Amino acid sequence: MDYLTDTLIFVISGVIIAGRICTGYQDSSPHFLTGIDYAWAVALWLLLLVVRVINIISFWPILARTGPGIDLPRAAATAWSGVRGFIGLILALMVSVDTDIQDEPYKLLCLFFMATTACLTIITQGGIFELVLWGLGLIKPALPETTVAQQGQQTPSLATATA
């Protein structure tokens, strides 16, 4: 159920954001997205990554001593993993439909910055997360041919088991 709601929020917000951006360009809106807005969006994403690292460092004593504990590689993986932006997208959508906020460019930028943050997190951080885990030594790459061959030798076949 969680996956379904996450997917719905991402699809709905994507459709709304795309519609708002296209409408802004067609209506010659007083504010449409420029290259500066895209640069600010990337800067915001980087700033949020830095804030996440600062949070992990700040809470390191608690994280290391509670539960199973956390070591440096796991802390680095946690800092890099990020969040997809589910709650942020919901809040940005709420801002975009709030009738008390009359500033349309503000609403558009709020949606745009949150959507860009979510996209950059999913594409960039999620795209190379396996490599980060491998580099930190948290996962070991399996050799498919060796694994399959070893399993075939260790597991009796169905034909010999039923015979």
Side-chain angles (χ1 to χ4, degrees):
M1 186 66 162
D2 184 43
Y3 176 76
L4 178 64
T5 55
D6 282 1
T7 303
L8 282 174
I9 291 297
F10 280 101
V11 168
I12 291 169
S13 61
V15 168
I16 291 172
I17 291 165
R20 291 283 308 270
I21 291 171
C22 290
T23 303
Y25 282 119
Q26 291 172 353
D27 295 343
S28 299
S29 168
H31 182 85
F32 54 89
L33 299 173
T34 64
I36 301 287
D37 295 327
Y38 285 93
W40 276 111
V42 172
L44 176 64
W45 172 70
L46 290 172
L47 177 67
L48 290 172
L49 185 60
V50 169
V51 167
R52 189 167 175 89
V53 170
I54 291 169
N55 281 334
I56 297 295
I57 291 170
S58 298
F59 288 102
W60 177 270
I62 296 169
L63 293 170
R65 291 180 178 84
T66 57
I70 190 169
D71 55 359
L72 187 59
R74 284 183 176 77
T78 302
W80 179 254
S81 66
V83 292
R84 294 172 296 167
F86 175 77
I87 300 298
L89 284 173
I90 291 174
L91 293 173
L93 287 171
M94 290 175 64
V95 167
S96 75
V97 298
D98 191 346
T99 56
D100 292 336
I101 301 173
Q102 299 298 319
D103 189 359
E104 289 301 318
Y106 173 80
K107 290 179 177 184
L108 176 66
L109 286 174
C110 185
L111 274 174
F112 173 70
F113 287 146
M114 190 57 234
T116 306
T117 300
C119 280
L120 286 173
T121 300
I122 291 170
I123 293 168
T124 306
Q125 290 172 257
I128 63 169
F129 192 58
E130 184 177 2
L131 295 174
V132 170
L133 291 175
W134 184 74
L136 292 170
L138 295 174
I139 59 172
K140 304 289 184 227
L143 301 174
E145 298 83 19
T146 306
T147 306
V148 171
Q150 289 174 351
Q151 288 177 354
Q153 292 172 355
Q154 295 173 356
T155 308
S157 70
L158 184 60
T160 58
T162 57

